[in-house]
Amino acid sequence: MFVLTDQNSIANHYLEGLRDISQQNDRLKFRRNMERLGEILSYELSKSLEYDTHTITTPLADTPSRKLKSSPVIIAILRAAIPFYNGIVNYFDQADSGFIGAFRKEGTTDSEVEIDFSYLAAPEIEGKEIILADPMLATGKSLVTSVQQLLKNGTPKNIHIVAAIAAPEGLEHLKSHLGLPYQLWLGAIDEKLNEKAYIVPGLGDAGDLSFGPKH
Ligand SMILES: O=c1cc[nH]c(=O)[nH]1
């Protein structure tokens, strides 16, 4: 498991920008900070993938260069993941992408959160490295539901779960329910979920802060 806040890096400034209520009134800045975290976590994740060495030709000479063995497939859980996804696809810029509409029903508490699954548009994933972008890993239920739906498109080789902030309850839920090999790439692990299944201290509602409140 990789956690950005374990390290001294500029990524901590971007995470602070996402969390700090005095900076949250700027939607462009919020989305850009989410995108930056997507980019930085993608870079860290990229070190775990397999590469081939091949020879390229510069204007002056031949030289060896490393190339990804195969491009991962990026899956974004709508809608909060869109800016985070943009950061990931900025780095894996030739990847196939898929989109999932899975959201929790309003008014439910942590213990009774129900996931409404409404949309899947994803490529074949058989034998592929999957990058699943879920910026706020709260209960983990929409993530597990998303993976179950994705399995209609094949069985992946490996799943990289990328989140800006995760709750311990969500990480436990993945451990007991995912049933496939996975790696975690996280901005931070926070303290807990509150009674409405929001991450505490967290940052609030990532979808609303990026795009405005839902009606
Ligand atoms: O705290 C949370 C949990 C889920 N989704 C969010 O946007 N925030």
Side-chain angles (χ1 to χ4, degrees):
M1 172 160 62
F2 176 88
V3 186
L4 269 175
T5 48
D6 291 345
Q7 326 231 327
N8 282 327
S9 88
I10 196 68
N12 290 286
H13 287 216
Y14 308 144
L15 194 57
E16 179 181 309
L18 291 171
R19 288 182 188 276
D20 180 358
I21 197 166
S22 72
Q23 300 183 48
Q24 286 186 331
N25 53 1
D26 183 340
R27 284 186 193 157
L28 175 63
K29 184 171 176 183
F30 187 88
R31 291 194 302 270
R32 180 61 190 125
N33 279 329
M34 258 311 174
E35 188 180 19
R36 283 165 153 170
L37 282 189
E39 288 171 347
I40 291 166
L41 288 167
S42 294
Y43 175 66
E44 295 296 340
L45 182 168
S46 76
K47 298 176 193 171
S48 75
L49 300 177
E50 289 181 56
Y51 293 79
D52 280 327
T53 305
H54 69 146
T55 302
I56 58 161
T57 307
T58 79
L60 303 178
D62 286 352
T63 187
S65 181
R66 289 184 204 200
K67 200 180 179 135
L68 266 180
K69 245 186 184 157
S70 65
S71 183
V73 174
I74 311 168
I75 306 290
I77 304 179
L78 302 173
R79 82 185 152 140
I82 293 171
F84 199 49
Y85 161 82
N86 284 340
I88 298 172
V89 80
N90 283 349
Y91 274 35
F92 295 105
D93 56 16
Q94 302 303 312
D96 287 346
S97 296
F99 299 90
I100 289 181
F103 55 92
R104 53 192 177 165
K105 291 186 185 158
E106 297 298 339
T108 48
T109 62
D110 173 21
S111 53
E112 40 182 52
V113 161
E114 278 179 53
I115 304 304
D116 200 333
F117 178 84
S118 59
Y119 181 73
L120 170 72
E124 212 211 297
I125 58 162
E126 184 67 36
K128 298 276 175 76
E129 300 265 359
I130 300 294
I131 300 177
L132 235 166
D134 187 9
M136 302 300 285
L137 206 176
T139 64
K141 290 183 183 174
S142 54
L143 205 147
V144 168
T145 306
S146 300
V147 170
Q148 285 162 352
Q149 297 294 328
L150 261 182
L151 292 178
K152 292 178 186 160
N153 289 20
T155 306
K157 177 176 169 196
N158 192 14
I159 302 178
H160 300 270
I161 294 169
V162 189
I165 302 179
E169 293 90 333
L171 298 177
E172 274 309 308
H173 188 75
L174 297 187
K175 227 187 252 176
S176 49
H177 290 82
L178 206 56
L180 286 168
Y182 66 95
Q183 272 88 54
L184 290 163
W185 306 89
L186 308 174
I189 302 176
D190 274 7
E191 195 187 321
K192 59 177 183 184
L193 292 181
N194 71 9
E195 64 290 349
K196 289 199 155 172
Y198 276 86
I199 301 174
V200 179
L203 51 76
D205 191 303
D208 287 0
L209 288 161
S210 291
F211 304 115
K214 285 194 296 259
H215 183 58

